Amino acid sequence: MKAVIVEDHPEIAEELAQLITEHCDNISLIGTASSVVSAAKLIREMRPELVFLDIELPDGTGFDLLDILDKPVKVIFITGSDAHAIKAFRYAAIDYLLKPVDLQDLVEAVHRAVFDFSLDNDRLAIYKSSLSLEDKVPQRIALHTAEKIHFIDISEIMRCMADGNYTRFYLKGNTSLLVAKTLKDYDRLLASADFLRVHQSHLVNMKHVREYVKSDGGYLVMHDGTKIPVSTRKKAEVLGRFDNIAHA
């Protein structure tokens, strides 16, 4: 896969180029650029399949560059440690690397890029929506499965269940999706959307909980009748959540 680096800090670009050359055998690095204008020219001439793209550039942003390209490309963003931006990347299922670039993160991102789809307008829309909402929760999330990327309204997600290193999403309408990320990842991401991890293997959307049954060890009954066990250490938090709802 032919790739270019777009990064305005020479030392970061050089370090990333060295890591790619030494550790990513399936990537052929064919050029670097340091601005939107020079990157657009480079990409149009060289036609790479993958772009390692810094967000903040001297003459604009990485998104400005994507807006003027005439052909979709696969993108791995390079970013600082802005927690809000990172959360937006996760909602949109867009790959990113934190500066300074970690080798393991790079190898994993490249592996996903080889098999992933090009960055599309739907994922960019979710990302930009997430950024504009500040501390609020976006309405949609992008979920990768083995076959495609699904764009799902968060309100449609009833619950999530751990399946090894994967997560099974159960949606309204009796459908489910198997996503290649752990439940822990989605626990962190969806906590602000009123999701609660009630058990090591279960994350539930509290808006879809019908009742809490205290007998038989304690379990939740979802709107579709599914029973979800509540771990002993989570009982107090679950009851507290119901108390908050009752007094709202």
Side-chain angles (χ1 to χ4, degrees):
M1 182 180 289
K2 296 187 297 182
V4 299
I5 296 173
V6 182
E7 166 61 60
D8 65 324
H9 291 90
E11 67 281 2
I12 294 176
E14 290 171 10
E15 180 185 4
L16 179 56
Q18 183 176 353
L19 290 174
I20 292 170
T21 301
E22 294 178 355
H23 300 282
C24 300
D25 296 337
N26 49 0
I27 298 297
S28 175
L29 195 57
I30 58 174
T32 61
S34 58
S35 68
V36 171
V37 172
S38 62
K41 181 179 179 181
L42 175 67
I43 292 170
R44 285 169 180 158
E45 289 178 354
M46 304 301 291
R47 295 295 179 183
E49 299 156 278
L50 174 64
V51 178
F52 293 90
L53 182 57
D54 190 10
I55 294 179
E56 299 296 333
L57 296 166
D59 55 348
T61 70
F63 298 105
D64 295 328
L65 173 63
L66 294 176
D67 286 340
I68 62 177
L69 294 181
D70 57 3
K71 181 181 177 182
V73 293
K74 298 183 178 184
V75 177
I76 298 174
F77 284 100
I78 310 167
T79 183
S81 57
D82 185 316
H84 187 61
I86 291 170
K87 187 174 183 179
F89 280 127
R90 290 172 177 165
Y91 268 110
I94 295 175
D95 254 324
Y96 65 93
L97 297 170
L98 283 175
K99 302 177 185 180
V101 175
D102 177 80
L103 174 58
Q104 185 62 36
D105 290 343
L106 169 64
V107 171
E108 291 176 358
V110 166
H111 176 77
R112 287 191 293 268
V114 170
F115 300 102
D116 195 9
F117 306 91
S118 297
L119 186 59
D120 51 67
N121 291 332
D122 286 307
R123 281 195 283 175
L124 280 175
I126 291 175
Y127 175 82
K128 292 175 180 178
S129 172
S130 302
L131 280 182
S132 65
L133 290 172
E134 293 298 331
D135 293 329
K136 296 181 181 178
V137 179
Q139 293 183 344
R140 303 174 77 205
I141 188 171
L143 299 176
H144 277 264
T145 65
E147 299 82 18
K148 61 182 70 175
I149 299 171
H150 301 261
F151 302 100
I152 304 296
D153 289 344
I154 291 176
S155 62
E156 296 291 306
I157 302 170
M158 299 189 67
R159 60 189 178 93
C160 309
M161 186 175 71
D163 190 350
N165 289 325
Y166 292 77
T167 299
R168 174 74 66 180
F169 278 73
Y170 292 89
L171 312 176
K172 291 174 65 176
N174 199 31
T175 60
S176 68
L177 300 172
L178 185 64
V179 181
K181 282 189 177 181
T182 66
L183 189 66
K184 182 178 180 181
D185 293 323
Y186 290 109
D187 180 16
R188 289 195 297 256
L189 187 61
L190 294 171
S192 57
D194 205 22
F195 281 69
L196 181 63
R197 192 168 183 177
V198 299
H199 185 277
Q200 182 178 357
S201 299
H202 297 282
L203 176 69
V204 301
N205 184 345
M206 294 299 290
K207 294 182 176 67
H208 288 290
V209 175
R210 190 172 72 198
E211 59 189 13
Y212 173 57
V213 179
K214 297 180 181 179
S215 61
D216 298 326
Y219 59 90
L220 297 174
V221 180
M222 309 300 291
H223 282 154
D224 65 355
T226 304
K227 297 178 180 179
I228 306 296
V230 177
S231 67
T232 301
R233 66 185 186 87
K234 284 290 185 176
K235 287 181 180 178
E237 187 175 358
V238 170
L239 289 171
R241 186 68 66 91
F242 278 110
D243 285 342
N244 290 337
I245 294 173
H247 293 93

